[in-house]
């Protein structure tokens, strides 16, 4: 029963969160752009994934849940504290998830504030020069009740509602496409790049592990490379969420 309530609350809260815009912003990017983001984040994303981005001169955004660091989560092992510091020093963005990976709709305002403070303190404890500006909803579940609170704490929050961000976007519910082998193929990747190009839009990919045989939530190195090649062919710059927001003038 408790689980059923939690599920219902997540569905309703998430649906409302899509429609109630608390942070509409006009994107003023002078050209299309793409961001590669990794949630939680697995050690394979922090190592193989980041290495591949760097081969293309790109930097990614890693939404870290402190409670998953160095821990086996059932599908992968989380990046270590050392990996996170290393990512930061190499110019990747370290961004915020909830510390324990609890979804928004299961948190009261006070519990969410505590989760965010714990995660922020954890990351700043690793390296005080880490700037924590952006957030991703655990499980992609937005919460209409928490959007205002998130807006006060973060420049942006990313969900997993599919689509390209263009024109006026909701900064507290940025749209994103899966870079996940089970969910998108090479043609699908090319199509979303074409759409981003046509709309002068901001394409955000989300993924988790980067493994030859990825989990149902991750991608293979071949698919990541395909997406990076697709961006390079179209001259679409790949930048972190923080850099893209700056490029868009918001
Ligand atoms: Zn997550």
């Amino acid at each position: 029963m408790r689980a059923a309530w939690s599920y219902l609350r997540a569905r309703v809260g998430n649906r409302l969160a899509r429609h109630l815009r608390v942070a509409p912003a006009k994107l003023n990017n002078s050209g299309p752009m793409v961001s590669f983001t990794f949630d939680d984040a697995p050690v394979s994303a922090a190592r193989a994934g980041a290495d591949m981005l760097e081969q293309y001169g790109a930097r990614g955004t890693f939404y870290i849940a402190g409670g998953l660091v160095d821990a086996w989560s059932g599908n992968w092992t989380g990046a270590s504290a050392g990996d996170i510091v290393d990512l930061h020093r190499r110019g990747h963005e370290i961004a915020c998830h909830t510390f324990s990976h609890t979804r928004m709709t299961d948190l009261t305002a006070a519990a969410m504030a505590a989760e965010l403070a714990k995660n922020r303190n954890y990351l700043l404890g690793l390296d005080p020069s880490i700037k924590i500006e952006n957030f991703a909803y655990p499980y992609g579940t937005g919460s209409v009740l928490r959007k205002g609170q998130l807006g006060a704490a973060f420049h942006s929050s990313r969900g997993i509602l599919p689509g390209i961000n263009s024109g006026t976007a909701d900064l507290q519910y940025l749209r994103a496409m899966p870079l996940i082998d089970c969910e998108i193929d090479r043609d699908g990747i090319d199509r979303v790049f074409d759409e981003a190009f046509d709309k002068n839009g901001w394409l955000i990919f989300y993924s988790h592990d980067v493994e030859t045989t990825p989990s149902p939530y991750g991608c293979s190195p071949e698919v990541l490379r395909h997406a990076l090649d697709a961006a390079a062919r179209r001259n679409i710059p790949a930048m972190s969420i923080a850099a893209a927001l700056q490029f868009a003038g918001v």
Side-chain angles (χ1 to χ4, degrees):
M1 194 61 200
R2 206 181 145 80
W5 264 117
S6 169
Y7 175 70
L8 187 67
R9 203 161 53 227
R11 278 199 58 174
V12 173
N14 188 40
R15 181 157 296 223
L16 287 172
R18 291 178 192 178
H19 297 294
L20 185 81
R21 289 183 166 191
V22 299
K26 176 91 178 68
L27 302 178
N28 292 307
N29 42 304
S30 56
M33 50 191 185
V34 60
S35 296
F36 290 87
T37 71
F38 300 90
D39 290 11
D40 295 357
V43 66
S44 58
R47 296 181 190 171
D51 284 349
M52 197 178 288
L53 291 185
E54 289 173 27
Q55 286 166 21
Y56 287 77
R59 295 295 183 273
T61 294
F62 294 77
Y63 293 101
I64 303 293
L68 300 178
V69 170
D70 230 352
W72 172 250
S73 66
N75 286 295
W76 54 70
T77 299
S80 68
D83 289 322
I84 295 166
V85 173
D86 199 38
L87 283 171
H88 169 60
R89 297 201 175 143
R90 286 153 65 184
H92 296 279
E93 178 183 8
I94 304 302
C96 203
H97 234 11
T98 51
F99 182 87
S100 65
H101 208 265
T102 311
R103 71 176 85 230
M104 295 284 95
T105 43
D106 288 339
L107 293 170
T108 63
M112 190 181 96
E115 278 276 344
L116 298 178
K118 193 171 178 187
N119 211 40
R120 194 180 282 275
N121 289 337
Y122 173 79
L123 293 170
L124 292 178
L126 297 182
D127 186 329
S129 70
I130 292 176
K131 278 197 199 143
I132 303 151
E133 298 173 329
N134 298 297
F135 178 79
Y137 294 104
Y139 308 99
T141 314
S143 165
V144 69
L145 296 174
R146 304 285 163 260
K147 276 178 91 178
Q149 196 179 349
L150 286 171
F154 297 106
H155 195 171
S156 77
S157 298
R158 198 220 70 217
I160 56 169
L161 183 64
I164 307 286
N165 302 283
S166 67
T168 300
D170 184 350
L171 293 187
Q172 296 309 325
Y173 209 115
L174 289 173
R175 289 169 180 261
M177 298 300 298
L179 191 64
I180 294 175
D181 284 29
C182 296
E183 297 192 35
I184 196 165
D185 60 12
R186 287 164 172 73
D187 288 345
I189 290 169
D190 287 327
R191 274 196 300 276
V192 290
F193 270 107
D194 286 341
E195 189 184 342
F197 195 88
D198 292 344
K199 287 182 169 171
N200 190 42
W202 179 17
L203 168 59
I204 302 174
F205 281 119
Y206 68 92
S207 195
H208 292 85
D209 51 315
V210 182
E211 296 271 10
T212 307
T213 307
S215 79
Y217 311 102
C219 68
S220 59
E222 292 73 26
V223 160
L224 177 57
R225 188 174 293 286
H226 182 87
L228 284 159
D229 281 334
R233 263 201 311 279
R234 292 167 179 81
N235 272 322
I236 296 180
M239 48 185 115
S240 69
I241 295 287
L245 287 166
Q246 192 171 19
F247 188 66
V250 291

